[in-house]
Amino acid sequence: MVNPYYPVLLAAELILAPVVFILLFFITAPYGRFDRRGWGPVLSSRTAWMLMESPSLVLPVLMALRSSPNAGGLIFLLIWLSHYFHRAVIYPFRISSPGKPFSLLIMSWGFLFNMINSYVNFYFIFHMATHYDFSWFTSTRFIAGFLIFAGGYLINKHSDALLRSLRGEGNRGYSIPEGGLYRWISAPNYLGEILEWGGWALMVWSLPGTAFFLFTVANLLPRAMKIHKWYGETFSSYPEERKAIIPFFF
Ligand SMILES: NC(=O)c1ccc[n+]([C@@H]2O[C@H](COP(=O)([O-])OP(=O)(O)OC[C@H]3O[C@@H](n4cnc5c(N)ncnc54)[C@H](OP(=O)(O)O)[C@@H]3O)[C@@H](O)[C@H]2O)c1
């Protein structure tokens, strides 16, 4: 029997995605370049990133230990962890502004989202899916999804590394990023993240995978547009031909 929490949490994620998408055009999450007072207590950004992303690292592993998944489930777990080990453990230690204030409210919201999202994705993979056999992992759908995920992974990490390289000793300000996909767009790290979870949705071919992809777009597209606008307003020499998140298009 399906755990009754599963459909409720999945429905919540699917319903919240368009709500968040619309809200984020009116409210900008107060962290990073958009940090501002009036949002209650704050944490250091390093602590916030580690806490916020930790459910996506810990919960699927605990679920795997409890449910002894088959080889297909373990392959998806490894792919997922390749992203979340980096995001929850490596990224916070490499961040170029580790002591910057990060809203406790935003951290808590991210923590809750990561709990729900990891749970529904791995509940489906470990307890409901019956199609992850050998033929699935040699199918065009899985291979295409995996390649999109891997491409997004490389774009995301490379773009974040280019941003880090802008801040040397004593330089805590913002500069115009150059190189990589920054030649064409203002937020290639977000494009990479969206591609990763688009590839994931294709690979797992599940409603929770699709919900995660939609939520990532809802979360990152409005912020990418705001970042693009912010660059244009902050730097008079910002390249005019650069788009927000889709090269040559948008
Ligand atoms: N799956 C999701 O829904 C989701 C949601 C949010 C973030 N993420 C991922 O998490 C990562 C971080 O996200 P983010 O929103 O913090 O990205 P971001 O705004 O691009 O910032 C990333 C890092 O680079 C620094 N930075 C940004 N622009 C800079 C510039 N022009 N000059 C110098 N330093 C600059 C930032 O410093 P400051 O902190 O000082 O601004 C921050 O340390 C990204 O890979 C993103 O894809 C995923």
Side-chain angles (χ1 to χ4, degrees):
M1 205 186 87
V2 174
N3 184 325
Y5 290 120
Y6 169 79
V8 173
L9 294 173
L10 178 56
E13 186 169 342
L14 282 165
I15 291 166
L16 275 175
V19 174
V20 163
F21 182 67
I22 293 166
L23 272 182
L24 287 179
F25 282 101
F26 298 98
I27 304 165
T28 308
Y31 75 91
R33 81 197 74 214
F34 301 119
D35 173 51
R36 54 200 185 277
R37 299 282 73 84
W39 283 76
V42 294
L43 302 163
S44 77
S45 70
R46 174 175 290 161
T47 310
W49 277 104
M50 289 189 85
L51 284 175
M52 183 165 73
E53 305 295 328
S54 60
S56 300
L57 183 62
V58 175
L59 190 58
V61 174
L62 291 179
M63 290 171 76
L65 290 174
R66 275 181 64 113
S67 60
S68 311
N70 61 16
L74 288 177
I75 290 173
F76 284 125
L77 180 64
L78 285 178
I79 293 171
W80 177 277
L81 292 180
S82 71
H83 175 90
Y84 277 110
F85 181 74
H86 185 279
R87 179 66 73 232
V89 179
I90 299 175
Y91 179 77
F93 280 97
R94 287 190 174 163
I95 206 164
S96 60
S97 47
K100 196 161 182 169
F102 194 109
S103 156
L104 177 66
L105 191 68
I106 297 297
M107 190 287 291
S108 308
W109 161 247
F111 183 93
L112 183 66
F113 170 76
N114 281 321
M115 289 274 280
I116 293 173
N117 185 49
S118 313
Y119 176 78
V120 293
N121 268 275
F122 281 93
Y123 185 83
F124 178 86
I125 290 171
F126 292 158
H127 299 284
M128 295 175 71
T130 52
H131 53 294
Y132 299 145
D133 54 14
F134 180 76
S135 65
W136 184 262
F137 291 96
T138 51
S139 67
T140 310
R141 187 177 287 158
F142 174 82
I143 293 169
F146 181 77
L147 291 176
I148 294 170
F149 177 91
Y153 185 98
L154 294 176
I155 291 172
N156 177 262
K157 304 298 167 280
H158 182 239
S159 308
D160 277 343
L162 287 173
L163 288 180
R164 260 194 310 278
S165 71
L166 295 173
R167 289 200 175 137
E169 280 304 307
N171 173 12
R172 291 280 163 261
Y174 293 93
S175 333
I176 300 178
E178 304 287 353
L181 288 190
Y182 285 105
R183 289 183 193 92
W184 298 290
I185 51 176
S186 297
N189 50 352
Y190 289 0
L191 174 64
E193 187 93 27
I194 288 171
L195 287 173
E196 280 184 69
W197 302 116
W200 172 263
L202 198 55
M203 271 189 278
V204 294
W205 203 248
S206 71
L207 206 48
T210 307
F212 186 19
F213 169 61
L214 293 177
F215 208 97
T216 305
V217 174
N219 199 13
L220 296 184
L221 192 66
R223 193 167 175 97
M225 291 167 67
K226 290 187 178 177
I227 286 175
H228 183 62
K229 185 164 177 271
W230 177 90
Y231 274 124
E233 288 169 356
T234 307
F235 300 103
S236 55
S237 57
Y238 198 65
E240 267 181 33
E241 67 284 2
R242 216 176 270 194
K243 302 290 184 193
I245 190 162
I246 303 176
F248 312 113
F249 182 62
F250 179 71

